[in-house]
Amino acid sequence: MTGIPCALMRGGTSKGALLLASDLPVDEAARDDLLLRIMGSPDPREIDGLGGAHPLTSKVGVVSPSSRPDADIDYLFLQVVPDKPVVSTSQTCGNILAATAPFALERGLVPTDFGTTTVRVHLVNTGAIAVLTVQTPGGEVTYDGDAEISGVPGTAAPVEVESEPPSGALLPTGNVVDMVAGVEATLVNAGMASVIVRASDLGLVGDEAPTDLEADDAVVAKVAAIRAAAFPLMGIAGTPETTTTPKIVLVSAPAAGGAIRTRSFIPYRVHDAIGVLGAASVAAAVRLPGAIGNDLAAQPGVGEVVRVEHPAGFFDLYVDLADGDDSSIGPVRVVRTARMIMDGVVHPRPAALRPARHDSQEAFA
């Protein structure tokens, strides 16, 4: 098959393929089948494609000139499941988001400025707008810099990301705390639908390694029960078996100078760090009086960074309650880094014998 222009990029603590929408089939079924073949799914090792055998490294960002007058580019995120023929658009990804602006500049979709370039990104999965600032000294993208983020070795040029508050309710049920599958939880959406639960309510300390949590059948079963019970309460389309949201985040008191400690299920594996928008939802809970997380947090002052601890270190965000409103938040600001790893042509494996499954089909059973 003819090769397809493709960039393999790291965005934040994730890695994936970045492609132009114009290089992919318009038909969604054909597109998803092609992406499975590009990434090497279904196969636990993704040995025959670009995928990295883990949800954090089996991601795709599709970029195009924006369909909206208030944005420069459209960004569609697709999660390719490594070991199942599944391509999901049920969530977006804030880490791959960090790579979309440099990619768009490299592809000439947006003109570069001297010094820094601002790119307004329409997140197609959610309808939100994010404003990214990329380092462009001399009018060219640079990936070299001194910014450091936990979970990524070395340093790189910063990519500043400011996300608008989500258009829907911050608290989908209208309650700060709900009883979900027998435990207290805060159901919150500050860009990523999340269920915040005390680690202690699952008999955990909160410092457990991701692999240990994944191997604990009782914890996995309880998390699945919480997620299934929260699903209808949050009004999420589809079913728990066919979408990747909501995320279940276990929180505990900070242990390394941060505001809160986390362990995030995404939804069945445990994140080695934490997603950008998942961290935003945790930070929102930290800020909300009475919420799960607020009661455990070392509360930062207004305008100060909210440091979210995770298995690989920490994630810093700036998020505050909206002026005069204890039930909504203002824009979320974070610093990520991105890097071009490979830019060239990818050759998909031959056409699969079985079609891709989509969000409307059984996906994550």
PDB file of all heavy atoms in Angstrom, residues 24 38-39 47 76 91 153 166 189 230 260 297 324 334-336 349-350 359:
ATOM      1  N   LEU A  24      -6.203  10.974   5.264  1.00  0.00           N
ATOM      2  CA  LEU A  24      -6.943   9.817   5.763  1.00  0.00           C
ATOM      3  C   LEU A  24      -8.287   9.704   5.054  1.00  0.00           C
ATOM      4  O   LEU A  24      -8.820  10.697   4.550  1.00  0.00           O
ATOM      5  CB  LEU A  24      -7.176   9.949   7.275  1.00  0.00           C
ATOM      6  CG  LEU A  24      -5.933   9.960   8.153  1.00  0.00           C
ATOM      7  CD1 LEU A  24      -6.321  10.249   9.608  1.00  0.00           C
ATOM      8  CD2 LEU A  24      -5.177   8.643   8.061  1.00  0.00           C
ATOM      9  N   ILE A  38      -1.926   1.032  10.947  1.00  0.00           N
ATOM     10  CA  ILE A  38      -0.763   1.898  11.170  1.00  0.00           C
ATOM     11  C   ILE A  38      -0.153   1.635  12.540  1.00  0.00           C
ATOM     12  O   ILE A  38       1.075   1.554  12.685  1.00  0.00           O
ATOM     13  CB  ILE A  38      -1.167   3.380  11.031  1.00  0.00           C
ATOM     14  CG1 ILE A  38      -1.405   3.740   9.563  1.00  0.00           C
ATOM     15  CG2 ILE A  38      -0.106   4.302  11.639  1.00  0.00           C
ATOM     16  CD1 ILE A  38      -1.953   5.132   9.355  1.00  0.00           C
ATOM     17  N   MET A  39      -1.002   1.491  13.559  1.00  0.00           N
ATOM     18  CA  MET A  39      -0.505   1.343  14.927  1.00  0.00           C
ATOM     19  C   MET A  39      -0.131  -0.093  15.287  1.00  0.00           C
ATOM     20  O   MET A  39       0.554  -0.330  16.281  1.00  0.00           O
ATOM     21  CB  MET A  39      -1.549   1.868  15.916  1.00  0.00           C
ATOM     22  CG  MET A  39      -1.910   3.336  15.703  1.00  0.00           C
ATOM     23  SD  MET A  39      -0.491   4.462  15.755  1.00  0.00           S
ATOM     24  CE  MET A  39      -0.176   4.494  17.523  1.00  0.00           C
ATOM     25  N   ILE A  47       3.514  -5.107  17.548  1.00  0.00           N
ATOM     26  CA  ILE A  47       4.828  -5.327  16.956  1.00  0.00           C
ATOM     27  C   ILE A  47       4.877  -4.923  15.480  1.00  0.00           C
ATOM     28  O   ILE A  47       5.951  -4.604  14.958  1.00  0.00           O
ATOM     29  CB  ILE A  47       5.236  -6.818  17.123  1.00  0.00           C
ATOM     30  CG1 ILE A  47       6.724  -7.018  16.832  1.00  0.00           C
ATOM     31  CG2 ILE A  47       4.372  -7.712  16.239  1.00  0.00           C
ATOM     32  CD1 ILE A  47       7.641  -6.331  17.791  1.00  0.00           C
ATOM     33  N   LEU A  76      -8.659  16.144  16.303  1.00  0.00           N
ATOM     34  CA  LEU A  76      -9.462  14.977  16.682  1.00  0.00           C
ATOM     35  C   LEU A  76      -8.531  13.953  17.304  1.00  0.00           C
ATOM     36  O   LEU A  76      -7.548  13.539  16.685  1.00  0.00           O
ATOM     37  CB  LEU A  76     -10.153  14.379  15.460  1.00  0.00           C
ATOM     38  CG  LEU A  76     -10.903  13.061  15.694  1.00  0.00           C
ATOM     39  CD1 LEU A  76     -12.113  13.285  16.598  1.00  0.00           C
ATOM     40  CD2 LEU A  76     -11.334  12.435  14.371  1.00  0.00           C
ATOM     41  N   GLN A  91     -13.085  10.351  24.165  1.00  0.00           N
ATOM     42  CA  GLN A  91     -12.426  11.337  25.017  1.00  0.00           C
ATOM     43  C   GLN A  91     -11.422  12.102  24.164  1.00  0.00           C
ATOM     44  O   GLN A  91     -11.155  11.762  23.017  1.00  0.00           O
ATOM     45  CB  GLN A  91     -11.689  10.666  26.171  1.00  0.00           C
ATOM     46  CG  GLN A  91     -10.489   9.829  25.701  1.00  0.00           C
ATOM     47  CD  GLN A  91      -9.576   9.391  26.824  1.00  0.00           C
ATOM     48  OE1 GLN A  91      -9.878   8.431  27.499  1.00  0.00           O
ATOM     49  NE2 GLN A  91      -8.475  10.095  27.003  1.00  0.00           N
ATOM     50  N   PRO A 153      12.140  12.036  30.493  1.00  0.00           N
ATOM     51  CA  PRO A 153      13.538  12.326  30.773  1.00  0.00           C
ATOM     52  C   PRO A 153      14.007  13.587  30.053  1.00  0.00           C
ATOM     53  O   PRO A 153      13.519  13.922  28.967  1.00  0.00           O
ATOM     54  CB  PRO A 153      14.280  11.086  30.249  1.00  0.00           C
ATOM     55  CG  PRO A 153      13.365  10.510  29.221  1.00  0.00           C
ATOM     56  CD  PRO A 153      11.972  10.807  29.694  1.00  0.00           C
ATOM     57  N   PRO A 166     -14.875  23.865  30.581  1.00  0.00           N
ATOM     58  CA  PRO A 166     -15.807  23.069  29.771  1.00  0.00           C
ATOM     59  C   PRO A 166     -17.174  23.737  29.715  1.00  0.00           C
ATOM     60  O   PRO A 166     -17.583  24.454  30.634  1.00  0.00           O
ATOM     61  CB  PRO A 166     -15.861  21.731  30.512  1.00  0.00           C
ATOM     62  CG  PRO A 166     -15.423  22.048  31.910  1.00  0.00           C
ATOM     63  CD  PRO A 166     -14.432  23.162  31.796  1.00  0.00           C
ATOM     64  N   ASN A 189     -16.126  17.270  35.991  1.00  0.00           N
ATOM     65  CA  ASN A 189     -15.649  17.327  34.614  1.00  0.00           C
ATOM     66  C   ASN A 189     -15.077  18.715  34.346  1.00  0.00           C
ATOM     67  O   ASN A 189     -15.803  19.664  34.053  1.00  0.00           O
ATOM     68  CB  ASN A 189     -16.765  17.019  33.624  1.00  0.00           C
ATOM     69  CG  ASN A 189     -16.251  16.872  32.200  1.00  0.00           C
ATOM     70  OD1 ASN A 189     -15.095  17.190  31.914  1.00  0.00           O
ATOM     71  ND2 ASN A 189     -17.101  16.396  31.311  1.00  0.00           N
ATOM     72  N   ALA A 230     -21.232   5.264  38.190  1.00  0.00           N
ATOM     73  CA  ALA A 230     -21.104   6.694  37.896  1.00  0.00           C
ATOM     74  C   ALA A 230     -21.530   7.039  36.488  1.00  0.00           C
ATOM     75  O   ALA A 230     -21.931   8.176  36.205  1.00  0.00           O
ATOM     76  CB  ALA A 230     -19.656   7.141  38.125  1.00  0.00           C
ATOM     77  N   ILE A 260      -2.050  17.275  46.430  1.00  0.00           N
ATOM     78  CA  ILE A 260      -2.834  16.041  46.515  1.00  0.00           C
ATOM     79  C   ILE A 260      -2.058  14.932  45.810  1.00  0.00           C
ATOM     80  O   ILE A 260      -1.306  15.200  44.877  1.00  0.00           O
ATOM     81  CB  ILE A 260      -4.233  16.222  45.874  1.00  0.00           C
ATOM     82  CG1 ILE A 260      -5.211  15.109  46.256  1.00  0.00           C
ATOM     83  CG2 ILE A 260      -4.127  16.396  44.379  1.00  0.00           C
ATOM     84  CD1 ILE A 260      -5.780  15.252  47.640  1.00  0.00           C
ATOM     85  N   ALA A 297      -6.402  17.773  50.790  1.00  0.00           N
ATOM     86  CA  ALA A 297      -5.356  18.547  50.131  1.00  0.00           C
ATOM     87  C   ALA A 297      -4.634  19.499  51.073  1.00  0.00           C
ATOM     88  O   ALA A 297      -5.200  19.988  52.054  1.00  0.00           O
ATOM     89  CB  ALA A 297      -5.956  19.339  48.967  1.00  0.00           C
ATOM     90  N   GLY A 324     -16.661  34.599  42.366  1.00  0.00           N
ATOM     91  CA  GLY A 324     -17.992  34.616  42.962  1.00  0.00           C
ATOM     92  C   GLY A 324     -18.815  33.374  42.715  1.00  0.00           C
ATOM     93  O   GLY A 324     -20.035  33.406  42.900  1.00  0.00           O
ATOM     94  N   VAL A 334      -1.433  25.158  31.991  1.00  0.00           N
ATOM     95  CA  VAL A 334      -0.389  24.174  32.290  1.00  0.00           C
ATOM     96  C   VAL A 334       0.775  24.398  31.331  1.00  0.00           C
ATOM     97  O   VAL A 334       0.647  25.062  30.303  1.00  0.00           O
ATOM     98  CB  VAL A 334      -0.893  22.719  32.145  1.00  0.00           C
ATOM     99  CG1 VAL A 334      -2.089  22.457  33.040  1.00  0.00           C
ATOM    100  CG2 VAL A 334      -1.244  22.407  30.704  1.00  0.00           C
ATOM    101  N   VAL A 335       1.910  23.834  31.688  1.00  0.00           N
ATOM    102  CA  VAL A 335       3.068  23.815  30.797  1.00  0.00           C
ATOM    103  C   VAL A 335       3.378  22.359  30.466  1.00  0.00           C
ATOM    104  O   VAL A 335       3.558  21.531  31.360  1.00  0.00           O
ATOM    105  CB  VAL A 335       4.297  24.490  31.429  1.00  0.00           C
ATOM    106  CG1 VAL A 335       5.524  24.295  30.540  1.00  0.00           C
ATOM    107  CG2 VAL A 335       4.035  25.975  31.625  1.00  0.00           C
ATOM    108  N   ARG A 336       3.407  22.046  29.188  1.00  0.00           N
ATOM    109  CA  ARG A 336       3.791  20.729  28.699  1.00  0.00           C
ATOM    110  C   ARG A 336       5.025  20.889  27.804  1.00  0.00           C
ATOM    111  O   ARG A 336       5.462  22.003  27.496  1.00  0.00           O
ATOM    112  CB  ARG A 336       2.665  20.101  27.879  1.00  0.00           C
ATOM    113  CG  ARG A 336       1.393  19.803  28.650  1.00  0.00           C
ATOM    114  CD  ARG A 336       1.480  18.490  29.408  1.00  0.00           C
ATOM    115  NE  ARG A 336       2.158  18.625  30.676  1.00  0.00           N
ATOM    116  CZ  ARG A 336       2.545  17.584  31.419  1.00  0.00           C
ATOM    117  NH1 ARG A 336       2.316  16.347  30.990  1.00  0.00           N
ATOM    118  NH2 ARG A 336       3.149  17.772  32.557  1.00  0.00           N
ATOM    119  N   ARG A 349       0.202  -2.024   7.619  1.00  0.00           N
ATOM    120  CA  ARG A 349       0.194  -3.435   7.243  1.00  0.00           C
ATOM    121  C   ARG A 349      -0.961  -3.684   6.282  1.00  0.00           C
ATOM    122  O   ARG A 349      -1.876  -2.858   6.164  1.00  0.00           O
ATOM    123  CB  ARG A 349       0.076  -4.311   8.493  1.00  0.00           C
ATOM    124  CG  ARG A 349      -1.263  -4.253   9.179  1.00  0.00           C
ATOM    125  CD  ARG A 349      -1.446  -5.421  10.159  1.00  0.00           C
ATOM    126  NE  ARG A 349      -2.780  -5.346  10.724  1.00  0.00           N
ATOM    127  CZ  ARG A 349      -3.050  -4.998  11.989  1.00  0.00           C
ATOM    128  NH1 ARG A 349      -2.067  -4.708  12.805  1.00  0.00           N
ATOM    129  NH2 ARG A 349      -4.294  -4.936  12.422  1.00  0.00           N
ATOM    130  N   PRO A 350      -0.976  -4.828   5.585  1.00  0.00           N
ATOM    131  CA  PRO A 350      -2.071  -5.123   4.650  1.00  0.00           C
ATOM    132  C   PRO A 350      -3.423  -5.089   5.342  1.00  0.00           C
ATOM    133  O   PRO A 350      -3.527  -5.240   6.565  1.00  0.00           O
ATOM    134  CB  PRO A 350      -1.729  -6.531   4.150  1.00  0.00           C
ATOM    135  CG  PRO A 350      -0.250  -6.632   4.314  1.00  0.00           C
ATOM    136  CD  PRO A 350       0.082  -5.854   5.554  1.00  0.00           C
ATOM    137  N   ASP A 359     -17.015   3.100  18.815  1.00  0.00           N
ATOM    138  CA  ASP A 359     -17.553   3.442  20.133  1.00  0.00           C
ATOM    139  C   ASP A 359     -18.911   2.813  20.385  1.00  0.00           C
ATOM    140  O   ASP A 359     -19.279   2.537  21.515  1.00  0.00           O
ATOM    141  CB  ASP A 359     -17.657   4.959  20.293  1.00  0.00           C
ATOM    142  CG  ASP A 359     -16.279   5.609  20.356  1.00  0.00           C
ATOM    143  OD1 ASP A 359     -15.295   4.881  20.527  1.00  0.00           O
ATOM    144  OD2 ASP A 359     -16.222   6.828  20.217  1.00  0.00           O
TER     145      ASP A 359
END
